[in-house]
């Protein structure tokens, strides 16, 4: 409420529905209100009038992405600060085994299924280090950085790996909840509750909140 005005903001990406319940007084003024965000069910098809527009939009986004990929490949120099999950698995075997069975390990496939594997708004949370020097560029050039991996949450780990674990990962001082909220924020994951989500990915010695 802003003064006596109720202001509503629509969700993004066409992935959710908004339900608004208003309670009116005798003068038909808003007495109270409640809102609920509902995931769009698979049974709701795309509107045929928007199919052509959406396809055209995706093609433009893809063209812009490929242009940026070419530029980043040309500019890429030196050693990446990211190693990929396979390097982490050499020491963190148990954690890697748990991760490989979670939805995080197949996050890029989800983008491919909905034809958004080239959308910068999505790649930041479905790959490692996108838009960061040495991070994900494309599935061919940097296929080892596909999906939500160890370094998506814990930060770049090349120095950690090459030092035999003596140097900390980039996000060592972060709490588990803060790490999750890099991607599970209000815009991308409005229904996120840390206490509900964390048990789905809890892994080995990392089952703790860091302070």
């Amino acid at each position: 409420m802003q003064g006596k005005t109720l202001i509503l903001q629509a969700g993004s990406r066409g992935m959710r529905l908004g339900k608004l319940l208003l309670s009116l007084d005798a003068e038909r003024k808003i007495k109270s209100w409640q809102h609920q965000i509902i995931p769009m069910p698979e049974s709701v098809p795309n509107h045929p009038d928007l199919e052509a527009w959406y396809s055209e939009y995706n093609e433009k986004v893809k063209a812009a992405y490929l242009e940026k990929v070419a530029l980043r490949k040309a500019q890429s120099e030196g050693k990446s600060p990211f190693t990929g999950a396979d390097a982490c698995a050499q020491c963190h075997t148990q954690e890697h085994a748990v991760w490989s069975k979670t939805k995080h390990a197949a996050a890029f496939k989800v983008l491919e299924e909905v034809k958004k594997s080239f959308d910068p708004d999505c790649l930041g949370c479905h790959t490692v280090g996108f838009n960061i020097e040495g991070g994900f560029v494309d599935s061919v050039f940097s296929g080892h950085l596909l999906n939500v991996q160890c370094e998506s949450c814990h930060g770049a780990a090349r120095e950690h790996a090459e030092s035999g674990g003596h140097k900390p990962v980039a996000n060592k001082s972060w709490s588990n909840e803060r790490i999750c909220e890099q991607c599970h924020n209000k815009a991308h994951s409005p229904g996120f509750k840390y206490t509900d989500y964390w048990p789905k990915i809890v892994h080995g010695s990392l089952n703790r909140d860091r302070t």
Side-chain angles (χ1 to χ4, degrees), residues 13-29:
R13 310 179 202 284
M15 298 170 60
R16 303 174 184 91
L17 299 172
K19 181 179 180 181
L20 177 65
L21 299 176
L22 299 177
S23 177
L24 306 179
D25 61 20
E27 297 179 356
R28 299 190 63 77
K29 293 182 179 181

Side-chain angles (χ1 to χ4, degrees), residues 68-77 137-138 140-142:
K68 191 170 184 178
V69 165
L71 180 62
R72 290 184 66 189
K73 285 181 178 179
Q75 294 177 338
S76 181
E77 296 179 359
V137 174
D138 69 0
V140 176
F141 186 70
S142 49

